[in-house]
Amino acid sequence: MKRAGLAIWMVTLVMILPSGVLADDFNITPSIGVREEYHDNIFYSSDNTEDDFITTVNVGLELTESTEWMDLNLTGTVSPFFYADNNDLDDVDQKYSGNIKYEISPLYRVNANAAYNVSNRPDRDIETTGIVYSNARRKSQKYGLGFDYDLSEISAMSLSLGYLRDKWDEITSERQNLKDYNAELNFSHDFSQWWESTTGKLNFGFSRYEFETSDSYNYFATIGAEHAFSETVHLVFNIGSNYTDADFLSLQQGGIVETNNKSFNGIGQATLEINGELTRGSIGIGYSIEPGSDRTAQRTSATLNLRRLITEKGVIAVATGYYKNKAEAGDFSFFGTDTETVFFRPSLRIEFYENFTLEASYRFVYTDDHLASSDTKSNRVYLQLAYGIPLFE
């Protein structure tokens, strides 16, 4: 039902666009891929590791449309997977998303996005949050709306609104449903007359992370800049402060009571973006207040994602990252958290025949849970064969 609602929402959005918009660069690309992987710790357990082979079939469809005024992208992927030994874990992952950007005038632009995902694997968020879950099913909805307006030739502002809903089939003390409401207002000004290729940034934002047993309101303000070292290398950084007002349930002698805690925390992020002809990617560090699996925490991150074109149809890539999720008991919830995760993933992708690609990858993950005094290691390697053909090229 939710997938149908998402599709109707995106189709309606396309239908109300001005006539003649859908005319320039239109394509539909169906694809299918088969992945065979070996995982030496399928439950990400620290003391009872179990390995298995997993076969995944990815069936996808992508629609793209690009004109002078608009960019539209709709995608959907259904991925049934099958374990060789643990057949009771067989399931189906699903991903559906839509993104649209439309230029109303030379000064004013609007964008919208929506996504619906069904995920089942414990490593689903390792490369974005550093958090490992169980094999429980999670259904996620995400919606966003943004506006950009040029105040002058050198100044601009933007407003973005977002909503995220994570819902688990099984709720535990370490796995809770989440509602995330967020809004952000940004101002930028070109300072090139004083500092070449530099734009100053001022950002204000709000987010609310609502779990089953805790609810936190976060307000932040940052100041930063974007500097272009060249046409292909850009640095973006922001630094500021976050104020949190958290309500959570705690266990005391009189029973379960609601507790409140208010705090100020520093936040910041810096990203080096590379967009060369042969090499593309980013290197980033961050320090912010973010939601986890069951509570809010202070997250420290350092990530690297680079891809290099080695032949006309061959790409080598590497992704690696470090995440630390930490919160003292009583900061944002009754329980504390203190985990560190490191991952490393090289990969190779080659188009060996027209529209046929072969991809190989290896990933190592290490997680240290300081509160539980346990650590977890896992190794995964896979080989994937995929075929996708644009129908209207």
Side-chain angles (χ1 to χ4, degrees):
M1 190 70 181
K2 293 175 182 176
R3 296 194 298 273
L6 174 60
I8 292 172
W9 184 84
M10 294 308 301
V11 171
T12 302
L13 191 59
V14 174
M15 291 177 65
I16 64 176
L17 291 173
S19 60
V21 169
L22 304 178
D24 289 352
D25 187 9
F26 173 79
N27 222 319
I28 295 178
T29 306
S31 62
I32 185 170
V34 179
R35 173 183 296 188
E36 188 67 30
E37 68 180 88
Y38 169 77
H39 201 302
D40 70 352
N41 190 358
I42 60 173
F43 298 111
Y44 284 84
S45 173
S46 60
D47 53 6
N48 186 24
T49 61
E50 184 171 351
D51 66 337
D52 208 339
F53 287 90
I54 309 169
T55 301
T56 305
V57 180
N58 298 301
V59 181
L61 185 66
E62 180 178 24
L63 181 151
T64 59
E65 172 68 30
S66 182
T67 73
E68 184 179 357
W69 307 104
M70 186 207 70
D71 288 306
L72 172 69
N73 179 270
L74 303 175
T75 62
T77 305
V78 178
S79 305
F81 54 89
F82 311 91
Y83 285 78
D85 297 326
N86 296 270
N87 308 109
D88 57 313
L89 299 178
D90 295 353
D91 217 313
V92 182
D93 285 345
Q94 303 171 60
K95 293 183 179 180
Y96 309 93
S97 66
N99 299 274
I100 185 169
K101 299 178 181 179
Y102 185 70
E103 186 174 319
I104 297 176
S105 73
L107 299 179
Y108 185 47
R109 297 164 297 279
V110 62
N111 63 83
N113 62 80
Y116 177 73
N117 296 334
V118 179
S119 58
N120 298 273
R121 302 198 190 189
D123 60 346
R124 69 200 86 187
D125 293 344
I126 277 182
E127 297 189 19
T128 55
T129 68
I131 298 174
V132 177
Y133 301 95
S134 70
N135 294 76
R137 178 183 291 116
R138 183 184 66 192
K139 300 174 183 177
S140 299
Q141 304 175 60
K142 186 176 183 181
Y143 305 95
L145 185 64
F147 306 90
D148 299 285
Y149 183 71
D150 293 337
L151 301 172
S152 67
E153 292 183 355
I154 59 175
S155 298
M157 66 173 291
S158 65
L159 172 67
S160 61
L161 308 171
Y163 172 76
L164 169 69
R165 173 74 184 273
D166 284 347
K167 188 174 182 180
W168 297 90
D169 280 3
E170 301 175 4
I171 299 176
T172 68
S173 60
E174 298 181 351
R175 189 173 60 242
Q176 299 183 24
N177 294 336
L178 166 67
K179 293 180 182 179
D180 174 1
Y181 310 85
N182 57 81
E184 188 168 338
L185 180 64
N186 310 104
F187 296 93
S188 63
H189 184 80
D190 190 345
F191 288 107
S192 296
Q193 55 182 323
W194 297 293
W195 190 6
E196 185 179 358
S197 302
T198 301
T199 300
K201 295 179 178 292
L202 189 62
N203 313 297
F204 303 95
F206 161 81
S207 62
R208 177 185 178 185
Y209 306 135
E210 181 182 341
F211 291 98
E212 302 293 325
T213 59
S214 64
D215 192 0
S216 64
Y217 294 81
N218 304 277
Y219 308 86
F220 71 86
T222 64
I223 186 171
E226 178 178 356
H227 177 71
F229 295 100
S230 66
E231 292 184 357
T232 60
V233 181
H234 296 248
L235 174 65
V236 180
F237 70 90
N238 295 284
I239 188 169
S241 180
N242 182 96
Y243 172 74
T244 300
D245 185 353
D247 294 311
F248 52 91
L249 299 179
S250 61
L251 183 62
Q252 299 183 6
Q253 289 184 348
I256 298 177
V257 299
E258 185 173 292
T259 305
N260 176 266
N261 183 58
K262 298 178 176 66
S263 61
F264 279 96
N265 300 275
I267 58 174
Q269 76 64 231
T271 304
L272 185 69
E273 300 174 345
I274 303 170
N275 291 293
E277 184 178 349
L278 300 178
T279 303
R280 294 191 176 189
S282 64
I283 303 171
I285 56 174
Y287 188 68
S288 59
I289 304 294
E290 302 288 349
S293 59
D294 61 338
R295 66 197 70 135
T296 305
Q298 187 92 45
R299 181 174 301 155
T300 304
S301 63
T303 59
L304 178 147
N305 286 276
L306 292 176
R307 59 191 301 269
R308 172 81 176 179
L309 190 66
I310 53 176
T311 67
E312 185 179 351
K313 297 183 177 181
V315 176
I316 187 171
V318 60
T320 185
Y322 164 83
Y323 292 96
K324 181 179 180 65
N325 290 279
K326 181 177 176 60
E328 300 292 339
D331 282 351
F332 311 109
S333 71
F334 177 66
F335 298 100
T337 184
D338 190 358
T339 63
E340 292 181 274
T341 298
V342 178
F343 77 89
F344 174 69
R345 177 177 56 83
S347 62
L348 174 66
R349 183 177 181 270
I350 297 176
E351 183 179 348
F352 64 94
Y353 189 70
E354 187 175 0
N355 299 315
F356 282 89
T357 60
L358 186 66
E359 182 176 344
S361 178
Y362 163 78
R363 186 177 70 186
F364 169 76
V365 178
Y366 173 79
T367 299
D368 191 353
D369 188 333
H370 297 287
L371 297 184
S373 300
S374 64
D375 59 359
T376 306
K377 302 181 184 69
S378 72
N379 295 274
R380 185 199 70 176
V381 60
Y382 75 76
L383 188 67
Q384 176 175 287
L385 176 64
Y387 175 74
I389 180 170
L391 298 180
F392 299 102
E393 272 194 347

